[in-house]
């Protein structure tokens, strides 16, 4: 039995959360005895459905071993993330198989890795071959959906692939989407040049999400109809958004959030340079990139082109609140309870009795930034800043 104190992120009340065997067994309101001006807020742990790496560690560099997966798990806790979906992008058959094997091995080796990895997100290789929608995915490995190949990867992962991002423009996409849906896999539309009709067929076959909506698209589109309007108009389709301040303009975020309401979620889509200081680096595929003082990551030779996101979920939450696109509470839920709901994870109940004690203590800084103080996974403190440790 343990007690975790903080200010409820929704109600603003001082609360004491009682945890037993990793489950929240009680939440009581306590008199506000805090002598500190800034008492820590307490909220559900963050859930990232799309993360390629951080702190110089990349899941899409080969060869890959299980140790790299463990390292990333330890880093995401520092960002308040209690569940994430390691994201493997378009690559050769052998490399995707190797990545799946490494993640499966990591989950079998360590129970904290096992519980923090919610599943694997396979982004590609069944995406659009067209320039623009394909983004930075390598053309040579892009191919049409193939169930037999996918099953081998799924076997290598120990059944952990839970999200597949694909383009429904392939002739056999509908059949593949149906098979995935029947297996309990969330199919996400992304990196697509599909026609509106193909988008509708994909949703009818069971597609549930639009991956990093508004990115991985042509620079210019017919005003209407086009695949963006069609996905926006599909009521049952959830959308994930990269709100790092560079990938999407505020007007776009505002409209999508208003249309999609509870079905709009945040992802980081972070690459290995998230958490690293500004400077010149290599991308995972050995291209020169620059991380600016503002946190924007672009190609060194073509500064107008982004080279992925270099920010984690707390940054996106801060961006939405700084720009007054949402309340702190809503932005936090876009990155915690909502993705858990889509993936049907136990953490979908949020800060409630009976739910897992996947909890974060954090503070909103004067500049609007989010500081993580402590991260609990199933009631076990997995990360705490020094000041927090001193309190015990
Ligand atoms: Zn992508």
């Amino acid at each position: 039995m343990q007690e975790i104190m903080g200010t409820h992120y929704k109600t603003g009340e001082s609360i004491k959360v009682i945890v037993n065997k990793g489950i929240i067994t009680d939440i009581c309101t306590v008199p506000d005895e805090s002598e500190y001006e800034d008492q820590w807020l307490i909220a559900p742990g963050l859930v990232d459905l799309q993360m390629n790496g951080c702190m110089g560690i990349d899941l899409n560099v080969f060869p890959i071993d299980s140790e790299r997966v463990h390292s990333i798990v330890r880093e995401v806790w520092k960002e308040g993330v209690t569940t994430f979906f390691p994201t493997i992008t378009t690559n050769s058959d052998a490399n995707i198989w190797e990545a799946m094997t490494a993640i499966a091995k990591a989950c079998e080796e360590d129970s904290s890795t096992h519980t923090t990895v919610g599943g694997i997100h396979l982004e590609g290789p069944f995406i659009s071959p067209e320039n623009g929608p394909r983004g930075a995915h390598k053309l040579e490995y892009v191919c049409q959906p193939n169930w037999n190949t996918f099953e081998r990867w799924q076997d290598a992962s120990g059944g952990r692939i839970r999200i597949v991002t694909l383009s429904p423009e392939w002739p056999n996409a509908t059949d593949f989407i149906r098979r995935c849906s029947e297996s309990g896999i969330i199919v996400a539309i992304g990196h697509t040049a599909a026609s509106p009709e193909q988008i509708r067929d994909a949703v009818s076959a069971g597609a549930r999400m639009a991956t990093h909506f508004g990115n991985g698209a042509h620079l210019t589109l017919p005003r209407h109809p086009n695949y963006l309007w069609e996905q926006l108009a599909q009521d049952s389709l959830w959308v994930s958004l990269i709100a790092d301040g560079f990938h999407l303009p505020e007007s776009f975020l505002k409209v999508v959030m208003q249309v999609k309401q509870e079905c709009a979620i945040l992802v980081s889509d972070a690459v290995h340079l998230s958490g690293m200081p500004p400077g010149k680096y290599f991308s995972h595929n050995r291209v020169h990139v620059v991380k600016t003082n503002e946190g924007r990551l672009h190609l060194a030779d073509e500064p107008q082109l982004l080279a992925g996101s270099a920010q984690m979920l707390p940054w996106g939450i801060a961006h939405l609140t700084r720009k007054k696109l949402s309340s702190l509470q809503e932005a936090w839920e876009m990155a915690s309870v909502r993705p858990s709901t889509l993936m049907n994870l136990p953490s979908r109940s949020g800060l409630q009795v009976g739910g897992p004690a996947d909890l974060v203590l954090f503070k909103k800084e004067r500049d609007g930034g989010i500081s993580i103080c402590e991260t609990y996974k199933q009631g076990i403190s997995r990360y705490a800043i020094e000041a927090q440790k001193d309190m015990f």
Side-chain angles (χ1 to χ4, degrees), residues 5-7 13-16 28-35 39:
M5 308 281 288
T7 301
E13 292 174 319
S14 291
I15 55 166
K16 183 164 65 178
C28 3
T29 309
V30 293
D32 191 0
E33 293 166 348
S34 172
E35 297 150 28
Q39 197 183 347

Side-chain angles (χ1 to χ4, degrees), residues 120-336:
I120 298 169
H121 183 161
L122 178 63
E123 187 190 17
F126 313 132
I127 57 168
S128 175
E130 278 192 37
N131 286 339
R134 196 180 74 251
H137 291 238
K138 274 198 174 162
L139 178 60
E140 62 181 302
Y141 301 127
V142 170
C143 56
Q144 66 170 352
N146 183 313
W147 185 255
N148 290 337
T149 307
F150 175 75
E151 271 196 319
R152 275 198 300 110
W153 295 335
Q154 183 66 304
D155 283 348
S157 77
R160 288 180 176 84
I161 302 175
R162 294 289 322 279
I163 307 172
V164 175
T165 290
L166 55 71
S167 171
E169 70 200 70
W170 296 100
N172 65 340
T174 318
D175 181 50
F176 185 86
I177 293 169
R178 199 165 283 121
R179 284 182 162 200
C180 284
S181 302
E182 285 166 5
S183 311
I185 296 161
I186 297 287
V187 173
I189 299 170
H191 290 282
T192 187
S195 68
E197 189 186 4
Q198 288 168 330
I199 299 283
R200 288 195 292 275
D201 288 348
V203 173
S204 300
R208 297 285 309 283
M209 185 170 81
T211 285
H212 53 48
F213 189 57
N215 295 115
H218 292 97
L219 290 177
T220 307
L221 282 173
R223 69 193 194 285
H224 50 68
N226 64 48
Y227 49 75
L228 293 180
W229 283 114
E230 198 59 44
Q231 289 177 87
L232 209 48
Q234 291 293 329
D235 291 336
S236 62
L237 208 58
W238 292 60
V239 294
S240 70
L241 298 163
I242 305 171
D244 64 349
F246 309 112
H247 277 75
L248 296 169
E250 282 135 62
S251 58
F252 188 90
L253 286 167
K254 180 176 175 176
V255 170
V256 174
M257 287 164 64
Q258 286 193 7
V259 171
K260 289 296 176 180
Q261 299 283 321
E262 301 285 310
C263 296
I265 60 182
L266 289 185
V267 290
S268 72
D269 198 13
V271 299
H272 68 291
L273 297 172
S274 62
M276 301 290 276
K280 290 181 182 173
Y281 295 98
F282 277 113
S283 72
H284 74 276
N285 46 9
R286 305 295 296 166
V287 175
H288 280 287
V289 297
V290 174
K291 184 172 178 182
T292 67
N293 289 332
E294 294 74 32
R296 183 177 187 268
L297 189 66
H298 64 74
L299 297 180
D301 294 341
E302 296 172 276
Q304 75 279 13
L305 293 184
L306 294 172
S309 165
Q311 305 301 338
M312 300 283 276
L313 284 176
W315 177 287
I317 294 169
H319 179 67
L320 291 187
T321 52
R322 277 193 187 116
K323 298 296 178 186
K324 300 192 171 19
L325 293 166
S326 78
S327 63
L328 176 60
Q329 172 196 327
E330 186 189 9
W332 194 276
E333 292 192 347
M334 285 175 74
S336 56

